[in-house]
Every structure is written in structure tokens, then in C-alpha cells.
Amino acid sequence: MRSDEARLRRQAERMAAIGRLARTVQHDINNLLTVILANLEMLKRTAAEGAPQRQLNRVEEAARRFDGTSRAILSLIRRPAGEVVPIRLSETLEALQPLLHMILPAPGAFALTLAKQDPPVLIERSAFEEALLALAQQIAEAQLRGPALDLRVAEEAEAGILDLTLPADLAEAARAQLATLVRGAGGRVEPGPDGEGLRLRLPRHDPA
């Protein structure tokens, strides 16, 4: 028992240290990308039209994708495990989008529709994000062609609603993990609006 407690304590200390390091890494990445993007902008002003401009645009696009992916990864690392916090589904999924695209990179494989206004909900954010990433990973391992995962946050004032459209009989473990999280947060899991996939419904959180 004591050895288990000591192991868990060391693991918690290690994760805390990694979280502190992630802030330093993100700061360094920001500085490097600032230099890269500033110099790209200067090069674009003097580069000839046609192929040179297209090549510089591709470099800039890659740098910005790297920025989004690194921010998402480092934010995930810094997130305290087990912490139940108010979130908006649209904001959470927008932050997670670069990682979901990285897991499902084929054109049309992943789609995300965000609500302009969705209410705050209360859930363990780190576990919710990890479950969505596991869902995408399990779908990616099936090596499907065409649309694989479609996430839609509904425009709804009284509940946070996330519709997931995905191939039947895939990612059962991740589906179960998501369902357990949602029910544990006082929500419901329903069939999707078109009879396919899932609808996750989380109650609106109004701070006292």
C-alpha cells in the first residue's frame, strides 16, 4: 500500500514538473515562430509572383499548423488531471482541433462544426479531451476512406450538446469512456439526430 502511494506521489510530482516545463517550452516555441513568421513576411514582400510566393505560403501554413498543434499538446500536458471545471464545448473542441486533424489527416476524414453560443457545462476537461483523442485514434487505426468523424456542437441555450457521427461498431472503448464521463457529469447519452452516432447532452452550469 505504501509503495503504491509513493508511486502515485512520484507520478503526480513528475506530471507537475512536466507541466511547469511545458510553459517554458511554449514560450520558446512562440519566440522561434515569431522570428520565422516575421522573416517569411519580409520574404513574401520581395519574392516574385507565382511559384516563389506559393512556396512561401506553404511554409507559412506549415509554421502556423505547427503553432496550433504544439499549443494543443502543451495545453493538454499542463491540464490538471481529475479537475472538474466549467467549459464551453465549442471552445474546448476548437483548442483540440489541431490534434484531431493530426490523428485524422486525410481530406474529409474529420469535420468540426462549432456553435456561436453554447452554454457552460461542468465536466472533467482532461478526461473529456483524452476520450475524444482516443476515439479519433481508434477510428484512425481502422484506416477507413472518406468521412470518419464528424463533431457538431448544437446551438442550444439550456444544455451543451455534442453530436458525434462516426462509423458503426468502431471505437467501442472510447465511446464507453465518453458515455461514462457524460453520465458522471449528470448528462445523458442519446442516439444521434439522424439515428447514427451519439448525442452527448450535458446540463447547463450556472455558477451560484
Side-chain angles (χ1 to χ4, degrees):
M1 181 67 71
R2 288 183 179 177
S3 63
D4 289 342
E5 290 176 356
R7 178 177 57 79
L8 290 172
R9 186 170 59 254
R10 287 195 300 272
Q11 185 176 2
E13 291 170 352
R14 180 172 179 271
M15 291 306 297
I18 291 172
R20 290 191 295 272
L21 178 62
R23 293 186 180 91
T24 304
V25 171
Q26 183 65 66
H27 182 70
D28 198 35
I29 288 173
N30 289 343
N31 289 340
L32 293 170
L33 283 171
T34 297
V35 173
I36 291 169
L37 292 171
N39 280 277
L40 274 173
E41 188 60 35
M42 287 190 291
L43 286 170
K44 287 170 69 175
R45 291 174 188 170
T46 57
E49 294 295 328
Q53 285 288 348
R54 289 195 297 271
Q55 290 168 348
L56 290 171
N57 286 340
R58 284 196 291 269
V59 173
E60 181 180 7
E61 181 183 350
R64 294 193 184 281
R65 281 190 61 188
F66 173 73
D67 181 33
T69 302
S70 65
R71 284 178 186 274
I73 291 172
L74 293 170
S75 293
L76 206 63
I77 291 171
R78 291 200 303 265
R79 195 98 62 226
E83 187 176 60
V84 177
V85 294
I87 65 167
R88 284 186 60 235
L89 293 175
S90 285
E91 290 178 355
T92 300
L93 288 169
E94 186 175 22
L96 202 61
Q97 185 175 10
L99 297 183
L100 293 167
H101 268 302
M102 183 177 69
I103 295 170
L104 295 166
F110 171 68
L112 175 62
T113 304
L114 302 175
K116 293 180 180 178
Q117 192 68 35
D118 57 301
V121 298
L122 204 59
I123 196 168
E124 185 183 337
R125 178 169 180 170
S126 60
F128 181 65
E129 290 172 328
E130 289 165 11
L132 286 171
L133 292 172
L135 181 75
Q137 187 62 49
Q138 290 173 29
I139 291 171
E141 289 169 0
Q143 298 182 342
L144 301 173
R145 293 185 178 181
L149 178 61
D150 188 344
L151 304 178
R152 293 175 179 267
V153 181
E155 299 277 357
E156 171 64 51
E158 297 305 317
I161 297 176
L162 175 61
D163 291 323
L164 302 90
T165 303
L166 64 162
D169 303 322
L170 274 184
E172 292 297 334
R175 290 185 200 222
Q177 186 181 357
L178 273 172
T180 299
L181 276 170
V182 169
R183 293 186 181 114
R188 302 200 309 267
V189 180
E190 307 166 350
D194 55 1
E196 297 181 3
L198 302 174
R199 165 165 282 190
L200 308 181
R201 182 185 293 270
L202 287 158
R204 179 190 180 101
H205 172 68
D206 292 311

